[in-house]
Amino acid sequence: MALLSLRNITVAFGGPPLLDGVNLQVEAGDRLCLLGRNGSGKSTLLKLISGELPAEQGEVARQQGLRVGLVSQEAPPGLTGTVFDVVASGMGNAAELLAQYHQVAHRLSLEGGEELLTRLESLQKELEESGGWHLNQEVERLLSRLDLDAEAAFDTLSGGTKRRALLARALVAAPDILLLDEPTNHLDIETIIWMEDFLLKNVKTLLFVTHDRAFARRMANRVAELDRGRIYCFSCGYDAFVERREELLAAEVARQALFDRKLAQEEAWVRQGIKARRTRNEGRVRALKKMREERRQRRERQGTARIQLQEAERSGRLVVEAEEVSFSYDGRAVIRNLTTTIMRGDRVGIIGPNGSGKTTLLRLLLGELIPQGGAISLGSRLEVLYFDQMREQLELDKSVQENVGEGNDTLMINGAPRHIIGYLQDFLFTPERARSPVSILSGGERNRLLLAKLFTRPFNVLVMDEPTNDLDVETLDLLEDLLLEYTGTLLLVSHDREFLDNVVTSTLVVGSDGVVREYVGGYGDWLRQAEAEAQPTAAVARPVQEKPRRQAGRQRKLSFKEERELEVLPDMIAALEEEQEQLHATLADPAFYKGAAAEIVALNSRLETLEHELVEAYRRWEELEALK
């Protein structure tokens, strides 16, 4: 029996439904990865499962006594106190009872009195019934396993440590299903790998939203995608899901093309003259009206952003040269004896633990900080563009349009004027969304907006500090392709292992001791080289299996049999389409319906089979053409 079942769930917030008749089951042992475009409703679905949000329609069926824990993207507002208090609050009523018990016991020791003694006995009974006596031991066990300081103030913690504390808060109640919303955001690679190991060993059933493809690849045994209000589930890992999804999308495109072609034919028929409206053709007219409504109700898949870079005049051949550079904060060496040379066209990745000095290294390389030891030399004609992970260049109280246009309705993009609304549509902002304040945008939308704002200016040195946070997989793929075509210089700080592997040509690894080591290639290349050197590193606990880097390798050739198949496919498609047209003509003839009912059923069945055969033929033709 499923732990949890969603049945025909619908949720909308004034526009098209975010969830439109969603059905989903979560079984014990599932590690279900939930994917979807920014704004598709992933976080909404998690809140609905956790009970924070009610469904407008449908039913959420839970096993009796089911416990669900949720770790949101951001810490809940107003969460203060020590780490112990925050973690213990995950037990809800038991935590409150325990706190009251300690307060009453303390007052009783000072004041005495029959009333306080009675209250203490009552609290003791409630704690026994709720299992609250074991709360202290459970909290201390989790704090030890997650390496957390019980007495530290929660609001003073770093983003990564807060994430661990919130994970402990969700786990203290021993949930049957753990929900994680973008768990890798703002975490360094070391902490991400620690989290992967911890979850695989300690959490049986997991439902998580992530944009980190390496995390999804290692964790997921099922994958679900939210697309246009519907959810599609695949009982496979991440890589197999990507292949199956592409096949489904290709089949959907072919099916819609056939539908649109048939609709166009029927529209042409109905306009031929008065004959189309005779009583004997009313059935065909009704079918046309039904097709029109079906086409009107179709929700198109959200388009892909069309991002363009504006490259400035080429910089000098030398971009940055550092020799024996050192820098310290409060007596602690952040960067120590750095020597490196960055040339025009280099794509350099920068990785290291949170707080190790990656941002300081960027500022040194850009000349914003003066080194306390050694020297930094900058090249000539540098036009630097900086993507800030905190998105401080955005003004939250202004609209999307005002942030990008800065008072102008027209932008100059690659020497040509563009209206700002059309430009923002390239970044998937509708005209209505372009007039909305930035404060209501999701994290992924804010990242896209910052890209839109920055790319209005020409540059030849691009500096990106954690650009992948909150971006959906489609936009990540597009950004990767864009950076691969970019001919200028790139400095990239990222915790996304696959993004690094696909984009950078060399890597600077910042150690907690301030030593910066340089390696050829991306994250996976660094791991292999570090292993070969047999040197322990501070930036990662251990290697994980990574997807091979994308390479422009040679594709296999078509076999003799496939070449013959490709030759005959166009004729076969033409024959199928001709047969389809003949069937349409036969079924449109009123005289045909005077015949036997069995023949009518047979022809309709054949027409349906033909549509399936055409979809498969188009799919196979596209597949062989791509190989060719």
Side-chain angles (χ1 to χ4, degrees):
M1 179 179 174
L3 294 178
L4 179 140
S5 298
L6 305 182
R7 298 169 186 156
N8 201 30
I9 296 294
T10 297
V11 174
F13 297 107
L18 275 180
L19 307 177
D20 189 6
V22 164
N23 295 286
L24 178 68
Q25 285 192 334
V26 180
E27 308 276 353
D30 282 348
R31 296 196 303 276
L32 177 60
C33 176
L34 180 61
L35 300 174
R37 302 296 293 266
N38 292 138
S40 62
K42 303 185 295 297
S43 297
T44 299
L45 182 62
L46 293 191
K47 290 177 181 178
L48 191 143
I49 291 173
S50 69
E52 290 186 14
L53 186 72
E56 296 176 4
Q57 295 180 22
E59 177 188 7
V60 181
R62 299 178 175 87
Q63 274 193 8
Q64 187 173 4
L66 183 75
R67 296 185 300 273
V68 179
L70 171 64
V71 181
S72 300
Q73 291 189 45
E74 306 293 340
L79 200 58
T80 58
T82 66
V83 170
F84 185 95
D85 295 334
V86 169
V87 174
S89 69
M91 285 294 288
N93 186 51
E96 294 177 12
L97 289 174
L98 190 61
Q100 291 178 35
Y101 179 85
H102 286 309
Q103 292 171 3
V104 173
H106 180 64
R107 286 182 59 195
L108 183 63
S109 67
L110 295 176
E111 305 171 15
E114 189 68 25
E115 183 179 345
L116 287 175
L117 180 61
T118 302
R119 175 61 178 152
L120 190 68
E121 290 173 349
S122 172
L123 286 170
Q124 184 175 354
K125 183 177 180 182
E126 289 184 63
L127 280 167
E128 288 172 352
E129 292 174 353
S130 66
W133 286 122
H134 303 292
L135 180 58
N136 271 343
Q137 296 92 321
E138 182 62 20
V139 172
E140 289 172 358
R141 182 183 69 85
L142 280 170
L143 293 178
S144 175
R145 295 183 71 179
L146 275 68
D147 193 25
L148 293 166
D149 180 2
E151 299 304 318
F154 179 78
D155 53 7
T156 65
L157 301 178
S158 67
T161 309
K162 279 184 178 179
R163 180 72 64 169
R164 288 209 303 270
L166 293 174
L167 178 60
R169 180 173 179 261
L171 291 173
V172 72
D176 300 297
I177 302 175
L178 179 63
L179 310 177
L180 300 176
D181 195 356
E182 298 286 7
T184 64
N185 266 7
H186 308 292
L187 297 186
D188 55 48
I189 295 177
E190 179 181 7
T191 307
I192 292 173
I193 295 175
W194 169 87
M195 180 180 286
E196 289 174 353
D197 292 337
F198 181 86
L199 294 174
L200 287 171
K201 292 176 183 176
N202 298 281
V203 178
K204 182 180 180 182
T205 307
L206 181 68
L207 197 161
F208 61 96
V209 173
T210 188
H211 65 269
D212 188 323
R213 292 158 292 183
F215 185 86
R217 184 171 293 111
R218 190 175 180 210
M219 297 298 302
N221 58 18
R222 288 180 66 202
V223 180
E225 182 180 30
L226 265 175
D227 181 23
R228 291 163 284 179
R230 298 301 181 98
I231 194 166
Y232 304 91
C233 289
F234 302 80
S235 296
C236 61
Y238 177 78
D239 290 328
F241 153 76
V242 172
E243 295 177 3
R244 294 184 188 180
R245 180 184 60 178
E246 292 304 315
E247 293 174 358
L248 285 176
L249 289 177
E252 179 185 16
V253 169
R255 184 170 60 252
Q256 289 181 351
L258 288 174
F259 177 90
D260 292 344
R261 185 187 308 167
K262 182 180 177 183
L263 176 60
Q265 291 171 349
E266 294 299 290
E267 293 285 4
W269 167 80
V270 83
R271 287 171 175 78
Q272 286 176 355
I274 195 66
K275 292 187 300 180
R277 291 185 292 276
R278 290 178 180 169
T279 302
R280 58 186 179 182
N281 285 325
E282 283 184 358
R284 187 170 176 182
V285 173
R286 285 195 298 269
L288 173 58
K289 290 179 179 178
K290 184 178 179 182
M291 290 179 69
R292 286 173 176 170
E293 179 63 18
E294 182 180 345
R295 180 64 184 85
R296 190 183 69 82
Q297 294 290 340
R298 182 194 296 174
R299 291 178 63 178
E300 299 291 350
R301 186 174 174 82
Q302 186 181 16
T304 303
R306 297 184 294 274
I307 303 174
Q308 295 182 20
L309 302 180
Q310 292 197 81
E311 295 194 35
E313 178 188 359
R314 289 175 56 174
S315 67
R317 189 166 181 271
L318 174 68
V319 176
V320 181
E321 185 175 29
E323 187 170 350
E324 295 293 325
V325 169
S326 297
F327 195 87
S328 301
Y329 278 125
D330 298 327
R332 183 179 74 88
V334 180
I335 301 297
R336 181 182 298 170
N337 300 326
L338 166 65
T339 298
T340 188
T341 302
I342 299 175
M343 307 299 290
R344 181 182 63 228
D346 285 351
R347 297 196 294 271
V348 182
I350 300 174
I351 61 178
N354 285 339
S356 61
K358 300 187 294 295
T359 302
T360 300
L361 174 58
L362 279 180
R363 296 183 66 194
L364 284 167
L365 294 175
L366 296 175
E368 295 180 3
L369 286 178
I370 300 174
Q372 296 167 350
I376 294 278
S377 299
L378 297 178
S380 59
R381 302 190 302 277
L382 300 185
E383 296 287 343
V384 178
L385 199 64
Y386 191 98
F387 182 99
D388 171 28
Q389 67 166 316
M390 304 308 295
R391 303 186 282 257
E392 293 180 354
Q393 293 121 305
L394 299 179
E395 299 180 64
L396 302 184
D397 57 333
K398 292 187 177 182
S399 70
V400 171
Q401 179 177 345
E402 290 169 337
N403 267 271
V404 175
E406 299 177 349
N408 299 312
D409 290 335
T410 304
L411 304 170
M412 292 299 295
I413 305 297
N414 287 321
R418 289 287 309 275
H419 193 275
I420 189 169
I421 296 298
Y423 175 73
L424 287 171
Q425 285 177 322
D426 288 349
F427 290 81
L428 304 183
F429 291 103
T430 63
E432 295 77 17
R433 204 63 169 169
R435 299 181 182 95
S436 303
V438 175
S439 57
I440 71 168
L441 300 184
S442 67
E445 287 176 315
R446 292 186 190 187
N447 263 18
R448 273 194 275 117
L449 174 58
L450 183 52
L451 289 173
K453 180 181 176 71
L454 293 177
F455 289 165
T456 60
R457 302 194 297 272
F459 57 93
N460 52 35
V461 177
L462 178 59
V463 182
M464 309 193 84
D465 193 356
E466 299 288 9
T468 65
N469 283 338
D470 303 307
L471 289 180
D472 54 49
V473 174
E474 286 84 355
T475 308
L476 274 178
D477 287 337
L478 175 66
L479 187 58
E480 282 179 3
D481 294 337
L482 202 67
L483 294 178
L484 287 172
E485 295 173 1
Y486 171 54
T487 60
T489 307
L490 173 68
L491 301 179
L492 172 66
V493 176
S494 181
H495 66 259
D496 190 318
R497 292 157 285 178
E498 185 157 334
F499 192 77
L500 287 165
D501 276 342
N502 291 341
V503 170
V504 304
T505 56
S506 64
T507 303
L508 295 176
V509 181
V510 185
S512 55
D513 58 355
V515 176
V516 181
R517 296 177 175 85
E518 187 170 7
Y519 296 86
V520 175
Y523 170 77
D525 299 310
W526 162 57
L527 286 181
R528 287 186 289 272
Q529 293 172 69
E531 283 181 351
E533 294 170 0
Q535 293 178 353
T537 62
V540 68
R542 68 173 184 80
V544 298
Q545 184 176 1
E546 289 290 327
K547 182 182 176 182
R549 295 181 65 189
R550 292 190 300 183
Q551 296 179 353
R554 294 171 56 192
Q555 294 181 328
R556 69 176 182 84
K557 294 182 178 180
L558 292 176
S559 66
F560 178 80
K561 182 179 178 181
E562 288 172 332
E563 287 179 351
R564 302 288 79 75
E565 183 181 3
L566 182 58
E567 288 178 2
V568 301
L569 268 173
D571 292 337
M572 185 179 80
I573 291 173
L576 290 173
E577 289 180 336
E578 184 179 354
E579 183 182 356
Q580 186 185 46
E581 290 177 4
Q582 291 173 354
L583 287 179
H584 279 307
T586 302
L587 292 170
D589 184 359
F592 171 71
Y593 295 93
K594 298 178 181 178
E599 187 179 358
I600 298 172
V601 171
L603 282 189
N604 277 296
S605 176
R606 176 54 185 160
L607 185 61
E608 184 177 348
T609 303
L610 269 176
E611 290 179 354
H612 289 297
E613 289 178 358
L614 272 169
V615 168
E616 179 58 27
Y618 274 115
R619 185 199 66 79
R620 182 59 174 163
W621 179 73
E622 290 175 359
E623 179 183 346
L624 294 177
E625 276 291 324
L627 287 175
K628 182 181 178 183

